[in-house]
Amino acid sequence: MQAYSRIYGSGFVTGERKVSNADMAKVCDTSDEWIRERSGIQERFFVNEGTATSDLAVGAAKKALDDAGVKAEEIDYIVVATMTPDYYFPGVGSLVQAKLGLTSIPALDIRQQCSGFVYGLQVADALIRAGQAKKLLFIGAEIHTGFMPFSKQGWDVVMGRSDAEIPQSEKEWNSKFRHLVVLFGDAAGAVVMGPTDDPKRGLLGFALHSEGKNVEALYVPSAGFAYRPYFSDEHFKEGRGVPVMDGRTVFKMAVTKMPEAVHEVCAKAGTTVDDLHLLIPHQANLRISEGVQKALKLPDEKVYNNIQRFGNTTAATIPIAYDECKKAGRIKQGDLVCFVGLGAGFHWGAALMRE
Ligand code: UT7
């Protein structure tokens, strides 16, 4: 397949506060040992209250624009992937547009959760190939802290503003969600994309899939129009604003479907996994990445992981990892790079790119 779109620059930002596993253990019944062993995560960043997903998205966008040598006014299309928009509606795209000082260019929202970046990349590629965009800004941004069930006092403790012991009853409540809250962080990653005349560079293909039958293994059982009203005090008190996650089911799907998608996208592009220079898996759990690596029989130097430092930042993990690899020289011109992810929906898939 001929390549028509490529990435010209990238950048990322995180929430303001670095939060260790020990900080998390102050508000729920967990430990550094458990979190590291089961997920590989050592720390994550949380935003201060008042910072919204659109703010992180704009921060990442500015860095990507600088990196690409493109001015904000040159951008002709915005695509934002997030499952944690500032408001229930509208999406974040138009807020990012306004905060960048832009007017009337199209701004599109993608909501494919942990596969948001891979899905959005396909949309961005298609828009560019169809001549609908020449300088497209694509951002993956998330703030997960809004899901977390901590009280104001709990937040003061987690964010290092207080040394107080939180009440045992509150710790017990928070611990109901401990398998979830320890995994996530707040961050955004962005790329600037455009057409290329070089047929040897750019996005080579996609292998995307969805399967709705297991929705309840990972979803938010509230704040939706399946309910009347769509959000209620009862839902909040029952903790239904926090995602439900059957971790084992998600884990098993991830280590099965992600390698399949990588093989599929390579085959579609007439290449094989052995030709890959680098695999960037969505960062959900280091053990998932290791399982995917093992299934694909890839050596350590061909798989990039940074979940240890950021936790799972959903739509932001892949652009953050890509930016780190670019800046560290782990991705060079001509390298064959594969992005792969799986998440709520379920949606999963892989994208193949020649840098
Ligand atoms: O991007 C998509 C988003 N989600 C994912 O990708 C999640 C994929 N799944 C996972 O990452 C893992 O399944 C988890 C990290 C969520 C959980 O790891 P696990 O090895 O599957 O643990 P488990 O759920 O089977 O729980 C094992 C034990 C349980 O205790 P008992 O019943 O054996 O006494 C849990 O209650 O670990 C307990 N546990 C915890 N202990 C300390 C669960 N969470 C915690 C915690 N700290 N944070």
Side-chain angles (χ1 to χ4, degrees), residues 73-143:
E73 329 55 286
E74 294 176 68
I75 292 298
D76 58 6
Y77 215 115
I78 295 173
V79 181
V80 185
T82 186
M83 65 168 193
T84 52
D86 297 17
Y87 308 114
Y88 192 91
F89 77 83
V92 161
S94 60
L95 302 177
V96 170
Q97 181 216 54
K99 287 184 182 182
L100 284 172
L102 303 177
T103 50
S104 96
I105 57 162
L108 180 70
D109 290 90
I110 301 279
R111 44 173 310 173
Q112 256 61 30
Q113 294 68 243
C114 296
S115 314
F117 197 79
V118 183
Y119 264 76
L121 214 47
Q122 186 188 48
V123 171
D125 177 61
L127 286 167
I128 293 165
R129 283 172 178 243
Q132 299 299 306
K134 294 227 162 3
K135 288 204 166 75
L136 184 147
L137 178 60
F138 175 34
I139 310 163
E142 306 287 356
I143 289 185

Side-chain angles (χ1 to χ4, degrees), residues 278-295:
L278 194 67
L279 178 74
I280 298 185
H282 164 57
Q283 303 289 295
N285 184 324
L286 189 58
R287 309 296 161 234
I288 291 177
S289 291
E290 288 166 351
V292 171
Q293 175 181 345
K294 196 168 161 215

Side-chain angles (χ1 to χ4, degrees), residues 24 28-35 37-41 83 113-115 175-184 217-218 245-252 254 282-288 307 312-314 317 341-344 346:
M24 297 304 289
C28 66
D29 184 14
T30 190
S31 65
D32 178 51
E33 192 192 0
W34 191 96
I35 301 170
E37 194 183 305
R38 303 283 176 139
S39 73
I41 297 166
M83 65 168 193
Q113 294 68 243
C114 296
S115 314
S175 298
K176 285 172 69 136
F177 312 98
R178 63 181 177 170
H179 62 295
L180 189 103
V181 296
V182 299
L183 297 181
F184 292 91
L218 184 54
M245 183 179 78
D246 174 351
R248 295 218 157 174
T249 299
V250 182
F251 196 105
K252 277 188 212 144
H282 164 57
Q283 303 289 295
N285 184 324
L286 189 58
R287 309 296 161 234
I288 291 177
I307 190 169
N312 181 351
T313 59
T314 301
T317 70
L342 175 137
F346 276 76

Side-chain angles (χ1 to χ4, degrees), residues 12-30:
F12 76 92
V13 295
T14 65
E16 298 90 351
R17 174 84 189 174
K18 190 190 281 188
V19 174
S20 67
N21 291 343
D23 293 328
M24 297 304 289
K26 292 176 190 160
V27 289
C28 66
D29 184 14
T30 190

